[in-house]
Amino acid sequence: MTLKLYAALLFAAAASTAGAQIVITDPYEFSAGVSGGTTFSSVTFNPRVSQGTLAGLTFGLTGRMTMGENVGLQLELNYAQQGWAEAYETAPAYTYSRRLDYLQLPFLTHVQFGGKTVKGFINAGPHIGYMLSESTAEKRSEEMPGSIVTAQHEMSVENRLEWGIGGGAGIEIRTGAGYFLLEGRYTYSFGDIYGTKRKDYFSKASSQVILAKITYLMPFRNTRSVRYGTQKR
């Protein structure tokens, strides 16, 4: 019910602006660039699967428009490695991991503050993604205890489409050569990678990711006001 209410509020907010004139006031700025970093991911299973975190890579493209001094919108297109890595105290020599490769599209609200050269910022918003491929790595050197959950080892990902929400914070340094950003971010997927109906083995199988990345942006300044939408009569 909470997710449906959240979606309804977003739709209502978008619809309310459809008949009004929207003005982006001076100054505004568009910047674009590239990013790269590291992901640390896991999957929340029920029944529980004992895990550590799986390290992976992320890289992509970033576009940002700031309106005024403090608020902006940021759109990204990223490749990200996610998944999970299992760890068992009762079988320390056994390892199993599943890597999931995603193409993701985050839509973020950007809030920045600070001086002209060094700024802090907060990014938050939803994302959608599509799983491109999956792979497994397993090392078995001893007999597995019967109490360990292993059903997921024989199951391919059923739901390639993912959607969720995330947020993070970081620091931005502005130079004559462009903007350099260091950010930490947490994302949580509302979708499940496996079926979670009554007939299915798992009742929950959702991903969560902590990532750290560096972004380089090149600014393209424009000081004209932008107006779009329908004029009020």
Side-chain angles (χ1 to χ4, degrees), residues 66-67 74 76 129:
T66 54
M67 296 155 281
Q74 184 164 306
E76 300 176 1

Side-chain angles (χ1 to χ4, degrees), residues 23-29 66-70 221-227:
V23 179
I24 300 176
T25 57
D26 294 340
Y28 74 94
E29 175 189 80
T66 54
M67 296 155 281
E69 296 295 329
N70 302 109
R221 296 181 182 275
N222 195 327
T223 58
R224 295 175 300 169
S225 295
V226 175
R227 291 175 171 84

Side-chain angles (χ1 to χ4, degrees), residues 20 22 60 74 87 116 154 181 227 231 233:
I22 298 175
Q74 184 164 306
K116 292 184 177 181
E154 309 302 324
L181 296 76
R227 291 175 171 84
Q231 293 280 355
R233 297 181 179 179

Side-chain angles (χ1 to χ4, degrees), residues 111-177:
V111 179
Q112 62 187 28
F113 46 87
K116 292 184 177 181
T117 302
V118 180
K119 293 181 178 291
F121 65 86
I122 297 172
N123 289 327
H127 74 271
I128 58 174
Y130 185 80
M131 193 192 79
L132 303 173
S133 62
E134 61 179 312
S135 60
T136 62
E138 183 178 21
K139 180 181 178 182
R140 184 191 296 267
S141 59
E142 59 185 69
E143 190 67 25
M144 292 292 294
S147 59
I148 290 179
V149 176
T150 60
Q152 67 280 4
H153 296 180
E154 309 302 324
M155 300 166 61
S156 298
V157 169
E158 298 177 26
N159 303 317
R160 288 179 172 267
L161 186 67
E162 72 151 0
W163 60 286
I165 195 167
I171 186 171
E172 176 177 336
I173 300 176
R174 300 191 168 191
T175 72

